[in-house]
């Protein structure tokens, strides 16, 4: 019987002494001496930069927007740069003696190696000729270290099975956005190419009768704004039941269906089918409630069959992602512009967005970040972004006809929205507040005021439009097809309905049927 002995693998050694040379070579494994990675750094260049800052009084202005104390890898170099930064901010001379004294005053002189290290720094460089180039190297190394730290954090969390992957995605997007924002720089431009752009825009305005942006489809509004302008952030605000979404969808329909220009519509509240049903109601002049029930009369079926083909091939791109983050929006918006040449982006609505992955002390800070990011995205993509926004309850508390008119201070949750916006429009329907005539005695039944309260590039003012809530439609007052539309209420040609938002915060109870038609 043969005995079988199992040798422990760790004790087994292969004797290669008597093997042929070619066999030994095949069994030899190269030894990898790289057991780890050094973080990206350039300590010699750090010393050169600090030395240049101490021999040239103008050098700091060259690098102040490129590097910060944390840009330096060595902690003692961070302390030296902080001292140089402090002296420059105080407009004091910067040299070996003043930097040494500043470090002594801050109690960090011994930490950096004493006066001898400051002298050593100044001996590393004879001029500051290349300091900007050297500073950009340090900035790149710092950014690389940040990305390594970011990747390590995400990798650790990804291995943790208790972490929700969707939450981790939001966290990753937020952190990456934060890193990119902190390291974003804008180069200077000589004026000549900018003058050419201004000249081309002027010629375009002259050739297009004053329209230089994306047209809204409303003549008077386009006359004041010259269309929705590239890189503009436009806020469309109003109290609940004013018809903000109807107004935004009417604009989207005018641009995408009538003018065939690509539009992206991000709906954070309604799903895509609900949104498209409203567009169908607008295009086919059929009540949204009837479309929902499928209860159409013979005439309405005929209108449906006649007009539904207008939507075929319309470049309207709808995204109904709930709880959309500003980081997801940026990614999707870039792709839409790149792949579909989208000319305008619309968001319904701003207060439903979030900035997951970033930390805030309050909701106001988060909304400020969102509005600022939207403005930055509009500039980056060079297209207008229209974002809907709620107003606070202050409007309801004011008395009199003038008191019900929205004001910029009524913008909900953050004053930063007003600050970041290039244009702020209010949707206001006086009839909702039992106001049936304006200050000039004009009949306001079935009418809406679009109030341009802020306009960085032009005039402010009011635009009067006709409104049909049941068709989700705003129209020019002189549109013939609008005045000939059928109505569910023969006694009131402007009856309609507003499908309220579930996010509305205690709107006024609608006036009774005896006081006004039901919108």
């Amino acid at each position: 019987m043969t005995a079988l002995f199992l040798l422990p693998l760790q004790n087994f050694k292969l004797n290669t002494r008597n093997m042929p040379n070619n066999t030994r070579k095949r069994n030899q494994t190269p030894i990898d001496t790289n057991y780890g990675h050094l973080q990206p750094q350039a300590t010699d260049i750090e010393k050169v930069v600090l030395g240049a800052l101490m021999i040239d009084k103008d050098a700091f202005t060259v690098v102040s927007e490129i590097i910060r104390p944390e840009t330096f890898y060595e902690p003692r170099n961070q302390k030296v740069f902080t001292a140089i930064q402090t002296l420059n901010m105080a407009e004091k001379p910067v040299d070996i003696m003043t930097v040494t004294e500043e470090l002594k005053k801050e109690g960090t002189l011994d930490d950096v190696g004493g006066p001898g290290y400051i002298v050593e720094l100044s001996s590393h460089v004879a001029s500051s000729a290349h300091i900007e180039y050297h500073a950009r190297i340090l900035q790149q190394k710092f950014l690389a270290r940040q990305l390594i730290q970011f990747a390590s954090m995400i990798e650790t969390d990804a291995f943790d099975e208790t972490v929700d992957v969707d939450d981790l995605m939001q966290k990753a997007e937020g952190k990456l956005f934060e890193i990119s924002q902190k390291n974003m720089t804008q180069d200077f431009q000589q004026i000549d190419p900018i003058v050419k752009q201004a000249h081309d825009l002027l010629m375009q305005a002259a050739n297009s009768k004053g329209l230089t942006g994306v047209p809204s489809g409303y003549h008077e509004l386009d006359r004041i704004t010259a269309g929705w302008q590239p890189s503009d952030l436009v806020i469309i605000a109003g109290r609940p039941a004013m018809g903000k979404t109807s107004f935004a969808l009417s604009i989207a329909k005018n641009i995408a269906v009538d003018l065939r220009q690509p539009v992206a519509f991000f709906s954070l509240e309604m799903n895509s089918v609900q949104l498209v049903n409203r567009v169908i109601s607008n295009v086919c002049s059929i009540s949204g409630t009837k479309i929902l029930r499928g209860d159409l009369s013979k005439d309405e079926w005929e209108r449906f069959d006649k007009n539904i083909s207008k939507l075929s091939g319309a470049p309207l791109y709808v995204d109904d992602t709930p709880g959309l983050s500003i980081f997801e929006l940026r990614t999707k918006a870039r792709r839409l512009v790149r792949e579909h040449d989208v000319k305008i982006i619309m968001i319904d609505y701003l207060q439903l967005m979030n900035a997951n992955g970033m930390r805030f002390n309050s909701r106001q800070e988060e909304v400020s970040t969102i509005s600022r990011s939207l403005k930055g995205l509009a500039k980056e993509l060079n297209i207008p972004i229209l974002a809907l926004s709620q107003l606070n309850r202050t409007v309801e508390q004011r008395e009199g006809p003038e008191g019900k008119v929205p004001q910029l201070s009524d913008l909900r949750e953050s004053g930063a929205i007003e600050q970041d916006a290039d244009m702020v429009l209010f949707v206001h329907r006086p009839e909702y507040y039992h106001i049936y005539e304006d200050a000039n005695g004009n009949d306001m039944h079935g009418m809406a005021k679009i109030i341009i309260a802020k306009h960085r590039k032009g005039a402010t003012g009011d635009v009067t439009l006709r409104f049909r809530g049941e068709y989700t439609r705003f129209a020019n007052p002189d549109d013939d097809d609008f005045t000939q539309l059928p109505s569910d209420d023969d006694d009131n040609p402007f009856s309609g309905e507003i499908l309220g938002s579930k996010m509305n915060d205690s709107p006024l109870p609608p006036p009774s049927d005896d006081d006004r038609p039901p919108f």
Side-chain angles (χ1 to χ4, degrees), residues 89-109:
M89 294 303 179
E91 297 184 352
K92 295 180 180 178
V94 179
D95 54 37
I96 297 174
M97 298 303 297
T98 56
V99 171
T100 301
E101 285 300 314
E102 182 62 29
L103 288 167
K104 188 184 297 182
K105 186 168 66 176
E106 294 175 0
T108 57
L109 182 59

Side-chain angles (χ1 to χ4, degrees), residues 430-450:
E431 185 177 30
Y432 183 84
Y433 298 105
H434 316 284
I435 302 169
Y436 305 111
E437 289 186 353
D438 63 11
N440 299 320
N442 298 314
D443 183 14
M444 294 307 294
H445 284 87
M447 307 299 283
K449 289 279 188 182
I450 307 301

Side-chain angles (χ1 to χ4, degrees), residues 378-419:
K379 288 183 65 178
E380 175 190 336
L381 300 178
N382 197 35
I383 63 172
I385 293 180
L386 275 59
L388 275 60
S389 175
Q390 291 278 22
L391 296 179
N392 58 40
R393 295 186 181 91
T394 310
V395 177
E396 319 295 5
Q397 298 167 0
R398 294 195 292 260
E399 300 294 334
E402 293 301 320
K404 301 305 179 186
V405 177
Q407 302 173 8
L408 288 171
S409 58
D410 298 329
L411 282 168
R412 181 175 167 184
E413 286 193 299
S414 177
I417 297 176
E418 175 190 346
Q419 176 183 329

